[in-house]
Amino acid sequence: MSAFNFSDLAKNLLLKQKENWEQCNNGYDSLNSVQDKIFSFDSFTIKVQFNPGRIVSTAAKVDTKSISERRCFLCRENLPQQQNSIEYIDNFLILCNPFPIFPEHFTLPSIEHTQQNIKNSFSVFLDFTKDLSKYYSVFYNGPKCGASAPDHLHFQAGSKYFMTIEKEFESVKAAHGKKIFEASDVEVNSIDDGLRKFISIEGTSKKTLENVFEKFFNCYSIFNYSEPEPMLNIIGFYENETWRIIIFLRAKHRPSHFFAEGDKQIILSPASVDVGGVCITPLEKDFEKITQDHLREIFWEIFLTKEESNLFAKKLVSALQS
Ligand SMILES: [Zn+2]
């Protein structure tokens, strides 16, 4: 099916679900009371958004014990009765997220209950990114980087250009990017914008992107070893027949502010959307308190250091040239 179809099918699914699933409708209604604060950095902005509907997800327990004791909310047999789905190629579903961050927000789970794993699913990630691109961007949270169901393979999709990095990518790349590889149909950049460290892969050929990603992944798995996979978040968007894949190089899931006590605590649990430029605070007191310096501290803690990301870029150059 063409890109046109899945984007429109998803949009229609959400329209219908708002009519026939009360919890879903309430979730989207609650977006009307969301508040924003915008912080400007040299070539980009970070938005902080107070969204009380997200407390369940932000504070979700994702340790192995808690996960094994709950009913998986992405398995088909456990979906709420009112929840409808669209079957996507490669045994995936398109579902409406009833606890939205985006004006339109979807969860894209595998039909099979299998662990979050980007190495085996990057090809589907690229398909989704292209097929939903009329209205949406797609993202992946690693099992230790914000996925609230690390035991069930899934991606998410949300309204295009909602995350500030999507519109600001070119300016951030121009100001802070280092081109580390180029071929006729692909370009790879290493970017450290002072807050975030990431690798971008841009290209027009799915096959080339898969090859480059495989080399990246093997190199990163050794450099930033972690089980079950190295720490990362990925945002993908597709425009002008070109994929743009942004891979955030994470060192940590939750920053120390999350675990601090009393006045020092800020409940912010960074995943793709947050590092993509929209930080979600489900508590009003945190939203009011948070400053530009807090954002610096939080981002510095959860990404590789400047030295580490420089070193990784060097290793990646060799890997990509091999
Ligand atoms: Zn499951």
Side-chain angles (χ1 to χ4, degrees):
M1 250 192 256
S2 73
F4 179 81
N5 280 323
F6 279 110
S7 294
D8 284 305
L9 285 172
K11 197 179 238 329
N12 279 329
L13 176 70
L14 181 57
L15 283 174
K16 291 247 168 64
Q17 291 270 261
K18 284 187 197 170
E19 283 169 19
N20 62 18
W21 181 15
E22 197 183 353
Q23 185 190 26
C24 180
N25 192 45
N26 292 344
Y28 285 89
D29 266 354
S30 77
L31 286 183
N32 297 326
S33 53
V34 152
Q35 295 174 56
D36 287 333
K37 284 207 298 209
I38 295 179
F39 295 98
S40 294
F41 293 83
D42 66 356
S43 55
F44 60 95
T45 53
I46 302 284
K47 199 187 262 187
V48 177
Q49 187 165 89
F50 167 49
N51 183 340
R54 292 293 299 175
I55 189 66
V56 176
S57 178
T58 299
K61 289 194 170 135
V62 287
D63 60 284
T64 314
K65 186 167 181 287
S66 307
I67 291 293
S68 69
E69 285 170 355
R70 63 114 169 85
R71 250 178 15 151
C72 176
F73 59 88
L74 292 181
C75 274
R76 229 174 184 180
E77 62 270 26
N78 300 332
L79 296 178
Q81 208 193 343
Q82 302 91 328
Q83 184 151 36
N84 302 129
S85 60
I86 296 166
E87 287 202 20
Y88 184 68
I89 49 167
D90 297 323
N91 285 320
F92 273 75
L93 296 176
I94 299 175
L95 302 173
C96 298
N97 187 333
F99 305 107
I101 296 173
F102 297 79
E104 298 177 34
H105 192 163
F106 302 89
T107 310
L108 314 171
S110 148
I111 288 176
E112 192 191 341
H113 181 86
T114 177
Q115 233 187 30
Q116 196 73 326
N117 177 319
I118 191 61
K119 189 182 162 85
N120 299 336
S121 63
F122 187 69
S123 167
V124 189
F125 180 84
L126 293 176
D127 288 337
F128 264 129
T129 301
K130 183 177 177 185
D131 287 344
L132 293 175
S133 64
K134 188 174 171 189
Y135 308 119
Y136 311 109
S137 299
V138 180
F139 53 100
Y140 170 84
N141 291 322
K144 284 182 176 166
C145 293
S148 46
D151 56 336
H152 192 127
L153 176 59
H154 68 286
F155 308 111
Q156 293 180 67
S159 315
K160 216 171 182 176
Y161 304 124
F162 177 85
M163 294 179 277
T164 57
I165 189 80
E166 296 173 79
K167 277 207 170 134
E168 295 168 348
F169 176 75
E170 285 300 337
S171 62
V172 173
K173 188 172 88 170
H176 301 286
K178 242 188 266 166
K179 195 188 287 179
I180 60 169
F181 184 75
E182 190 175 28
S184 63
D185 56 2
V186 70
E187 179 184 317
V188 181
N189 281 270
S190 167
I191 301 168
D192 173 357
D193 65 15
L195 246 63
R196 304 169 287 195
K197 283 80 175 175
F198 55 97
I199 299 292
S200 67
I201 309 175
E202 296 167 84
T204 50
S205 150
K206 190 183 168 199
K207 194 157 179 30
T208 305
L209 290 171
E210 286 179 301
N211 285 335
V212 167
F213 184 79
E214 192 182 340
K215 287 179 178 175
F216 157 82
F217 191 83
N218 291 339
C219 184
Y220 189 52
S221 298
I222 296 166
F223 187 83
N224 192 13
Y225 179 81
S226 174
E227 285 296 335
E229 70 177 30
M231 299 184 81
L232 50 75
N233 301 103
I234 306 180
I235 295 174
F237 45 112
Y238 185 88
E239 49 194 0
N240 305 323
E241 293 175 24
T242 304
W243 275 277
R244 280 200 173 129
I245 306 299
I246 300 179
I247 308 169
F248 295 94
L249 308 174
R250 299 285 299 268
K252 205 189 226 195
H253 174 209
R254 287 170 169 161
S256 52
H257 279 288
F258 185 94
F259 302 103
E261 289 183 359
D263 205 34
K264 287 207 170 128
Q265 188 179 43
I266 296 175
I267 298 292
L268 197 165
S269 185
S272 293
V273 181
D274 307 82
V275 295
V278 182
C279 292
I280 305 298
T281 55
L283 299 182
E284 194 165 16
K285 67 176 178 59
D286 295 338
F287 173 76
E288 280 165 5
K289 176 168 66 186
I290 201 162
T291 63
Q292 194 141 1
D293 281 339
H294 285 130
L295 290 177
R296 285 199 184 90
E297 287 165 22
I298 289 170
F299 278 77
W300 285 346
E301 230 184 289
I302 61 164
F303 280 96
L304 297 187
T305 64
K306 191 179 199 53
E307 293 71 26
E308 286 166 341
S309 80
N310 285 339
L311 183 59
F312 176 65
K314 280 187 193 151
K315 295 201 182 277
L316 185 57
V317 170
S318 320
L320 291 172
Q321 284 167 348
S322 66

